[in-house]
Amino acid sequence: VERLEDNLNKAKPEPRLTPTEEEIYKLLVEGFDLEEIAQKKKISKRTVQVHRANIQQKLGFKKAKELKRFLRL
């Protein structure tokens, strides 16, 4: 049983945020909106949206509203 648990843990490594995703996550936590983050990072708003979607998925939120609620806590 112990070996089975070890194998299951190895099979599904926890998704980690990339350094850019971490930066964008921190800016979201600080309350910046997508446009402000895009300007600050000198990237397009669409790129910020993609990073936010990746963050959302990696943190296990199915909808953007869930992530927004979490960020407000």
Side-chain angles (χ1 to χ4, degrees), residues 4-66:
L4 178 60
E5 288 175 358
D6 287 341
N7 287 338
L8 287 174
N9 289 334
K10 288 178 189 175
K12 287 188 175 181
E14 280 190 37
R16 295 193 179 264
L17 298 180
T18 66
T20 303
E21 290 167 348
E22 284 183 19
E23 267 186 81
I24 290 173
Y25 175 79
K26 288 175 185 174
L27 292 170
L28 288 167
V29 168
E30 290 175 21
F32 288 94
D33 67 26
L34 298 181
E35 188 65 42
E36 292 169 325
I37 294 170
Q39 290 173 358
K40 199 172 196 58
K41 298 283 296 158
K42 296 182 175 41
I43 57 178
S44 73
K45 183 178 174 183
R46 177 67 184 133
T47 300
V48 177
Q49 289 172 326
V50 170
H51 285 302
R52 184 189 62 189
N54 291 339
I55 293 166
Q56 183 180 318
Q57 180 203 17
K58 289 178 181 182
L59 295 180
F61 296 105
K62 294 190 188 313
K63 297 181 180 179
K65 285 183 181 182
E66 293 173 349

